[in-house]
Amino acid sequence: MDTTPNQRLEYLYKEYVRLNDKAESLISSTYDDFKSLGVVGAVIIVWQPISEIILPTIPKLDSSLFLFLGFLSLLIILGLVALSNLIKQSYSWYFVYNLQAYEVEIKKELREAEDSQVFNFNLGKGETRFIVASYRLAFRTFVLSFTAFITFIPFAILCYSSVFYAALYLAISLIGFTVYLQIFKRVLKQYSSHKFLL
């Protein structure tokens, strides 16, 4: 299909806006996941009082086991939310890569110099060393803080109830955290090695 330069620029821009809207929607969705993590984290704090209310209604249930299973369920939910968030982040990085291609073409159509800042938002993300280093630092700090919270508070509470369940919870939590970090490192390595430069 033959198009004039203005039509081509219009098509490119429309697609650029469409992809950008999808990327922004995905990024907003990842922030909503952080809210979910906060809610589940808050439930961890109140789980022991909740279990003390529920346990008298089921007299045959072992209180230590019930407490352990509750904390374990919350840990699994947090793990699934964190993994789905990682999938969304990977997908948003894919959008950034595609947006860069449109920025290059739009700059050509506008006859902008390569070092021009016009349509350079996602191309600027090609400076991966700085971005990956700052992202990695911020993300690691968040994950370590949150992991310490969801690991050691339940561990301390379970120590008063059953040392066996406390040790089991600690082991499961640390294994899950290690697996998550390995997956995150691989995803980030692919992002940083790709460099998002065209």
Side-chain angles (χ1 to χ4, degrees):
M1 168 169 83
D2 291 334
T3 59
T4 65
N6 284 340
Q7 284 178 319
R8 183 168 191 273
L9 180 60
E10 185 180 332
Y11 291 141
L12 286 170
Y13 183 71
K14 282 181 182 176
E15 184 62 7
Y16 177 80
V17 169
R18 186 185 75 82
L19 289 174
N20 196 51
D21 287 344
K22 285 185 173 277
E24 284 188 29
S25 169
L26 202 57
I27 291 167
S28 295
S29 173
T30 60
Y31 291 128
D32 290 339
D33 288 347
F34 286 123
K35 293 176 192 172
S36 302
L37 291 173
V39 169
V40 177
V43 173
I44 283 178
I45 293 173
V46 297
W47 180 246
Q48 185 177 17
I50 290 172
S51 67
E52 289 172 0
I53 293 169
I54 296 171
L55 278 172
T57 62
I58 313 168
K60 292 183 180 179
L61 190 61
D62 176 18
S63 62
S64 299
L65 177 63
F66 186 73
L67 194 59
F68 168 72
L69 291 176
F71 283 138
L72 189 60
S73 300
L74 293 171
L75 185 66
I76 290 169
I77 291 168
L78 286 170
L80 292 174
V81 169
L83 284 174
S84 75
N85 186 279
L86 194 56
I87 292 167
K88 289 177 188 177
Q89 287 182 44
S90 301
Y91 202 46
S92 65
W93 292 336
Y94 172 74
F95 274 114
V96 168
Y97 174 72
N98 281 293
L99 285 167
Q100 287 176 339
Y102 282 91
E103 287 179 358
V104 167
E105 291 303 314
I106 289 170
K107 283 175 87 162
K108 283 181 190 173
E109 289 296 318
L110 293 173
R111 293 183 178 91
E112 290 290 327
E114 281 189 36
D115 59 348
S116 166
Q117 294 301 309
V118 174
F119 281 98
N120 202 44
F121 180 72
N122 291 294
L123 285 173
K125 291 179 179 160
E127 303 296 327
T128 55
R129 224 178 272 157
F130 172 73
I131 289 171
V132 170
S134 6
Y135 178 77
R136 188 177 287 158
L137 176 64
F139 192 79
R140 256 193 205 150
T141 304
F142 171 77
V143 170
L144 287 172
S145 303
F146 198 72
T147 301
F149 171 77
I150 64 170
T151 299
F152 295 112
I153 289 180
F155 173 73
I157 293 170
L158 282 167
C159 279
Y160 287 107
S161 180
S162 166
V163 175
F164 171 74
Y165 288 134
L168 186 59
Y169 178 85
L170 181 65
I172 291 169
S173 179
L174 292 177
I175 289 169
F177 170 66
T178 304
V179 168
Y180 177 80
L181 269 185
Q182 291 304 313
I183 293 169
F184 172 73
K185 280 181 185 177
R186 285 187 177 192
V187 168
L188 196 60
K189 187 176 182 181
Q190 288 178 342
Y191 167 68
S192 60
S193 68
H194 201 290
K195 295 195 178 178
F196 287 87
L197 288 173
L198 300 172

